[in-house]
Amino acid sequence: MASHKLLVTPPKALLKPLSIPNRLLLGPGPSNLAPRIMAAGGLQMIGPMSKDMYQIMDEIKEGIQYVFQTRNPLTLVISGSGHCALEAALVNVLEPGDSFLVGANGIWGQRAVDIGERIGARVHPMTKDPGGHYTLQEVEEVGDPGWGSGPGVAKDPGGHYTLQEVEEVGDLGWGSGPGVAKDPGGHYTLQEVEEVGDPGWGSGPGVAKDPGGHYTLQEVEEGLAQHKPVLLFLTHGESSTGVLQPLDGFGELCHRYKCLLLVDSVVSLGGTPLYMDQQGIDILYSGSQKALNAPPGTSLISFSDKAKKKMYSRKTKPFSFYLDIKWLANFWGCDDQPRMYHHTIPVISLYSLRESLALIAEQGLENSWRQHREAAAYLHGRLQALGLQLFVKDPALRLPTVTTVAVPAGYDWRDIVSYVMDHFDIEIMGGLGPSTGKVLRIGLLGCNATCENVDRVTEALRAALQHCPKKKL
């Protein structure tokens, strides 16, 4: 017999059938699920420590090694979103007092800075306005990158500096201070970047550029030389800004300075070329819900032998038990030891992830990259035909999976997003973090990367521009 009367009655909403709209998800993720992946989500549960589940886990690991292009034995899935994988990487690699260099050209770099500070690392952000990217030279050359008013290398969306430009400027400033200023689409030479005395952001000295720039190899090398970080963070595909960060040469550069390279590929994986081993990436992570078309909630991660050595020789335990890679490596069969229980993995989500990796294996990575490249090029042409401006000026720096469009003058981005959703059942999104209010974001992810979907969303945008209120300028 119950000893107390129930104070809370059954919620009326839960006594009704679940109703889900039929919606085309063309934002930066999550994406629509492929039919085969949806079917996997309806399969029966099995024990998370059964030999059948271990077999599925091993197949998933092989799939991750394929899409990452790595032979790393320490390759596994984190039970959490891509954000959780970022945290797993940082809490396992960084110890209090470690020097941490961060390419912060969007929200994910900002988040890496936040997590690093919580760990107690000495964090050195290289801060940029939304839309920029870092080059090999920049990572090496940054003297004392700063966040906010501190020193650093600052760039506006899309441009880039060369070595000669930075080297030649005595004391560059942003705003009213001295500096090298360029119109949108301009660039600085390698020599200029090399010659800058003390680049800064905000009120401090720095190299100032209009939209279109990126950092050079030499700039980044200065940061490595001065701060001697144990880890460098870069975002391969910055979903908040639509920038694709070049990666060739960064791994080699980092290793020359005894630094590990950590790369976020959550929104780029499967949509653009990425070669973990050949590009010298030490830690690579991604998410399930973007171009893989699987449900959110699982993330992929892999560690090089150098990264493993750093984690396994820690003087302190990682702050998180749930994300302790030693435990996870054992549970995922990465250490050739009998598997021990760590946590209850999301079995059904792993079925779906397994099928998503199977689909891309059947298609072939190079075919997937080509699909996204061609769909993005078609989208860019259709958008420009509407008179819309692409946020990232340089075509080589545009992320093929997520396109950012400058909010057209006179419009409220929220009106456009709402109109497209309400009248066409298509989801696109506005900006995120530093790009909030500046852009519309359109995602072509996995099975959604088709010319048919491009036609649908551009026609919806055409209607929105005709019907949404526009202020007089």
Side-chain angles (χ1 to χ4, degrees):
M1 290 290 294
S3 58
H4 297 281
K5 292 183 178 180
L6 297 180
L7 296 178
V8 180
T9 59
K12 292 181 179 179
L14 295 181
L15 302 179
K16 301 176 182 178
L18 177 64
S19 177
I20 303 296
N22 183 18
R23 184 167 295 154
L24 178 59
L25 301 181
L26 295 184
S31 56
N32 291 100
L33 305 185
R36 180 169 161 185
I37 296 170
M38 279 200 294
L43 297 175
Q44 185 55 267
M45 180 72 63
I46 61 175
M49 297 188 70
S50 66
K51 64 179 182 179
D52 302 292
M53 192 64 219
Y54 288 161
Q55 175 64 32
I56 293 171
M57 294 164 72
D58 290 343
E59 292 172 2
I60 289 172
K61 286 193 296 179
E62 291 183 39
I64 298 172
Q65 289 170 329
Y66 172 65
V67 294
F68 280 7
Q69 284 296 288
T70 182
R71 293 191 173 96
N72 292 334
L74 187 46
T75 299
L76 50 89
V77 172
I78 302 291
S79 300
S81 68
H83 201 304
C84 194
L86 167 61
E87 194 142 349
L90 295 182
V91 299
N92 281 277
V93 172
L94 294 177
E95 295 190 75
D98 280 347
S99 179
F100 179 32
L101 187 63
V102 181
N105 61 339
I107 191 170
W108 306 116
Q110 292 178 354
R111 295 285 175 89
V113 167
D114 191 331
I115 297 168
E117 290 173 345
R118 291 166 187 259
I119 292 170
R122 292 180 291 114
V123 183
H124 308 286
M126 298 178 293
T127 307
K128 309 186 79 169
D129 271 355
H133 79 278
Y134 301 98
T135 67
L136 292 176
Q137 190 171 344
E138 287 176 316
V139 173
E140 191 165 347
E141 285 187 355
V142 173
D144 184 12
W147 184 261
S149 61
V153 177
K155 292 202 175 177
D156 277 340
H160 77 276
Y161 301 106
T162 63
L163 290 177
Q164 184 175 354
E165 289 177 312
V166 175
E167 186 171 326
E168 289 176 355
V169 178
D171 184 19
L172 299 179
W174 183 260
S176 60
V180 177
K182 295 204 173 177
D183 287 336
H187 75 279
Y188 299 105
T189 65
L190 291 178
Q191 185 173 346
E192 287 174 313
V193 174
E194 187 171 315
E195 292 179 357
V196 173
D198 184 14
W201 178 253
S203 59
V207 179
K209 287 205 88 167
D210 285 333
H214 71 277
Y215 297 110
T216 66
L217 169 62
Q218 189 171 342
E219 289 174 309
V220 177
E221 185 169 359
E222 284 192 359
L224 296 172
Q226 173 156 348
H227 298 296
K228 298 178 174 56
V230 300
L231 185 67
L232 166 67
F233 171 86
L234 292 174
T235 308
H236 186 215
E238 177 50 72
S239 61
S240 66
T241 63
V243 168
L244 178 67
Q245 168 69 47
L247 293 176
D248 285 343
F250 281 93
E252 179 184 359
L253 175 63
C254 286
H255 297 159
R256 201 158 70 232
Y257 286 86
K258 302 187 186 311
C259 175
L260 299 172
L261 175 59
L262 164 62
V263 172
D264 175 319
S265 69
V266 170
V267 81
S268 61
L269 182 70
T272 192
L274 180 62
Y275 310 90
M276 183 175 188
D277 288 358
Q278 295 177 72
Q279 291 175 319
I281 301 168
D282 293 293
I283 309 161
L284 181 64
Y285 70 88
S286 192
S288 57
Q289 77 277 19
K290 307 286 187 176
L292 293 181
N293 298 130
T298 57
S299 51
L300 301 61
I301 196 165
S302 183
F303 299 87
S304 70
D305 288 340
K306 289 184 178 70
K308 179 180 178 181
K309 182 178 179 181
K310 172 70 168 71
M311 295 186 296
Y312 280 54
S313 60
R314 293 177 61 98
K315 298 179 178 66
T316 59
K317 287 185 177 182
F319 291 119
S320 172
F321 177 84
Y322 185 72
L323 298 177
D324 190 321
I325 289 298
K326 285 187 178 180
W327 278 89
L328 294 174
N330 171 265
F331 192 45
W332 276 85
C334 301
D335 62 2
D336 297 323
Q337 299 296 318
R339 302 192 198 204
M340 296 185 294
Y341 174 79
H342 177 253
H343 72 281
T344 302
I345 52 177
V347 172
I348 304 297
S349 291
L350 292 178
Y351 295 168
S352 297
L353 179 58
R354 190 267 182 202
E355 289 300 275
S356 71
L357 292 167
L359 285 173
I360 199 168
E362 292 171 4
Q363 180 184 15
L365 265 179
E366 292 173 320
N367 290 330
S368 180
W369 296 338
R370 181 170 58 252
Q371 174 189 345
H372 286 85
R373 181 175 66 249
E374 292 175 353
Y378 182 56
L379 173 64
H380 297 164
R382 290 295 306 268
L383 291 170
Q384 290 170 325
L386 291 176
L388 295 172
Q389 182 181 7
L390 299 179
F391 188 62
V392 181
K393 306 301 180 191
D394 187 344
L397 305 181
R398 292 173 187 158
L399 182 61
T401 50
V402 175
T403 295
T404 45
V405 183
V407 176
Y411 289 93
D412 187 320
W413 67 269
R414 287 165 290 221
D415 293 337
I416 297 173
V417 169
S418 297
Y419 188 92
V420 170
M421 174 77 81
D422 295 342
H423 293 81
F424 293 89
D425 281 325
I426 298 175
E427 179 177 279
I428 62 173
M429 291 189 180
L432 180 65
S435 68
T436 299
K438 299 178 180 180
V439 300
L440 301 171
R441 295 184 294 157
I442 303 171
L444 298 175
L445 297 163
C447 63
N448 280 351
T450 67
C451 291
E452 177 187 359
N453 285 341
V454 170
D455 289 339
R456 289 181 61 182
V457 72
T458 51
E459 286 305 310
L461 284 169
R462 183 193 305 276
L465 295 174
Q466 291 173 348
H467 293 94
C468 289
K470 182 180 180 182
K471 297 178 183 177
K472 292 184 180 180
L473 300 179

